[in-house]
């Protein structure tokens, strides 16, 4: 505006002022928001709170009737087979199958078959349907994930554990041996016990030894036998025990 006034006052082209005052407009400082990064925009959009929609008022909807699913024929057959497995076998072990291929399973079956131990496969749905109403209901927590049953008509825990050492993918969880539920540690302790045949042999040998000693004693001279019996009677009598009491310190001295 000052430049315009100066131009009107000094409109003659013959003379121009030495100085002219010119006013420049100041620059306006405006701060624009920097756009957010695309990932931050996505994160904000994902985490944005969405209020739930109001539901229908109470009593406006009738509840749906519950459908009672009947067991299929296949389910009943599998439950019957599982019941026969528990009845016909004295040892039923539960093992977890951790991603073992068909070749490893075939090798394990061959090792267990040498000791008359069979491998059975049942879906967990069948096991959970059978166990609650049976005497083996405490085994239900063992059937989690892919499981395998190792069964035998005679308790062969030691042979089973030796066969499982070569298959680390099969982990023993527990077993029912002679109607007794055992954990993994219980099965290990049971495998260390001697077999029934060994115990019978030890009992027979101890009875035979006592009988042979009695027979040899009876075959000796009657005088020797009577002397032994008299000594035994003296030891049982209170007088004999009183006589032996003071003699014991002298013998020790």
């Amino acid at each position: 505006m000052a430049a315009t006034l100066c131009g009107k006052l000094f409109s003659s082209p013959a003379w121009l002022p030495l100085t002219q005052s010119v006013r420049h407009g100041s620059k306006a400082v405006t701060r624009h928001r920097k756009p957010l990064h695309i990932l931050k925009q996505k994160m904000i959009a994902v985490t944005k709170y969405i209020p739930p929609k109001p539901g229908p008022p109470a009593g406006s909807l009738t509840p749906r009737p519950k459908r009672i699913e009947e067991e299929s024929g296949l389910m009943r057959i599998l439950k019957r087979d599982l019941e026969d497995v528990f009845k016909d076998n004295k040892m039923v072990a539960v093992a977890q199958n951790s991603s073992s291929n068909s070749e490893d399973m075939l090798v394990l079956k061959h090792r267990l078959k040498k000791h008359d131990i069979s491998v059975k496969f049942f879906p967990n749905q069948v096991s959970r349907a059978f166990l609650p109403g049976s005497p083996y209901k405490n085994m239900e927590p063992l059937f989690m994930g892919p499981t395998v049953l190792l069964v035998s008509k005679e308790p062969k825990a030691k042979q089973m554990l030796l066969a499982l050492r070569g298959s680390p993918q099969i982990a023993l969880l527990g077993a029912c041996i002679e109607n007794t539920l055992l954990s993994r540690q219980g099965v290990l302790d049971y495998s260390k016990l001697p077999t029934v045949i060994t115990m019978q042999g030890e009992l027979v040998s101890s009875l035979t030894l006592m009988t042979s000693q009695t027979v040899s004693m009876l075959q000796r001279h009657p005088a020797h036998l009577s002397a032994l019996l008299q000594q035994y009677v003296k030891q049982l009598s209170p007088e004999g025990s009183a006589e032996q009491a003071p003699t014991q310190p002298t013998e020790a001295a």
Side-chain angles (χ1 to χ4, degrees):
M1 185 175 181
T4 306
L5 292 174
C6 291
K8 290 181 178 181
L9 293 174
F10 305 100
S11 59
S12 176
W15 181 84
L16 292 175
L18 298 176
T19 59
Q20 295 181 1
S21 60
V22 180
R23 184 178 180 182
H24 300 278
S26 62
K27 296 181 179 179
V29 180
T30 57
R31 293 184 179 181
H32 301 284
R33 288 187 177 182
K34 187 178 180 181
L36 297 177
H37 195 270
I38 183 64
L39 295 179
K40 191 171 183 179
Q41 294 180 10
K42 291 181 178 180
M43 183 61 67
I44 293 174
V46 170
T47 57
K48 185 179 180 181
Y49 174 72
I50 301 176
K53 295 180 180 180
S60 61
L61 298 177
T62 57
R64 295 182 179 180
K66 295 183 179 180
R67 297 178 58 185
I68 301 175
E69 297 183 358
E70 297 183 357
E71 292 184 352
S72 61
L74 178 61
M75 178 69 73
R76 289 194 292 268
I77 293 173
L78 291 176
K79 285 176 64 176
R80 193 183 311 150
D81 293 343
L82 185 59
E83 184 179 0
D84 295 339
V85 166
F86 276 92
K87 285 183 178 179
D88 300 338
N89 298 280
K90 293 184 179 180
M91 185 185 75
V92 180
V94 183
Q96 187 176 12
N97 184 8
S98 301
S99 67
S100 62
N101 52 28
S102 58
E103 184 178 356
D104 296 338
M105 187 59 65
L106 186 62
V107 172
L108 178 61
K109 286 182 179 180
H110 180 69
R111 290 176 182 171
L112 295 173
K113 197 65 178 178
K114 293 180 181 179
H115 306 289
D116 296 333
I117 302 175
S118 304
V119 180
K120 302 289 184 180
F121 295 92
F122 288 95
N124 289 341
Q125 184 180 2
V126 177
S127 304
R128 292 172 184 171
F130 164 73
L131 291 174
S134 67
Y136 315 100
K137 58 184 178 181
N138 293 331
M139 295 183 66
E140 187 177 359
L142 299 179
F143 291 89
M144 299 293 292
T147 54
V148 180
L149 293 182
L150 309 176
V151 300
S152 64
K153 294 186 177 181
E154 295 296 332
K156 298 181 179 180
K158 187 175 182 180
Q159 294 83 347
M160 179 185 65
L161 292 175
L162 290 175
L164 290 177
R165 285 182 181 178
S167 300
Q169 300 89 352
I170 307 297
L172 182 65
L173 300 178
C176 180
I177 301 177
E178 294 181 341
N179 296 328
T180 303
L181 181 61
L182 299 175
S183 62
R184 185 178 183 276
Q185 186 61 37
V187 176
L188 292 175
D189 296 339
Y190 182 86
S191 64
K192 297 176 183 178
L193 297 176
T195 59
V196 178
I197 299 175
T198 305
M199 295 298 295
Q200 291 176 352
E202 293 179 357
L203 179 60
V204 170
S205 62
S206 61
L207 293 176
T208 305
L209 179 61
M210 295 174 63
T211 306
S212 62
Q213 290 177 354
T214 306
V215 171
S216 62
M217 186 179 295
L218 292 175
Q219 287 178 353
R220 290 187 178 182
H221 197 272
H224 180 71
L225 179 60
S226 62
L228 290 177
L229 292 175
Q230 290 177 2
Q231 184 67 23
Y232 179 71
V233 170
K234 288 181 180 180
Q235 290 179 357
L236 293 179
S237 62
E239 297 177 357
S241 60
E243 292 177 357
Q244 290 181 0
T247 58
Q248 289 179 357
T250 57
E251 290 178 359

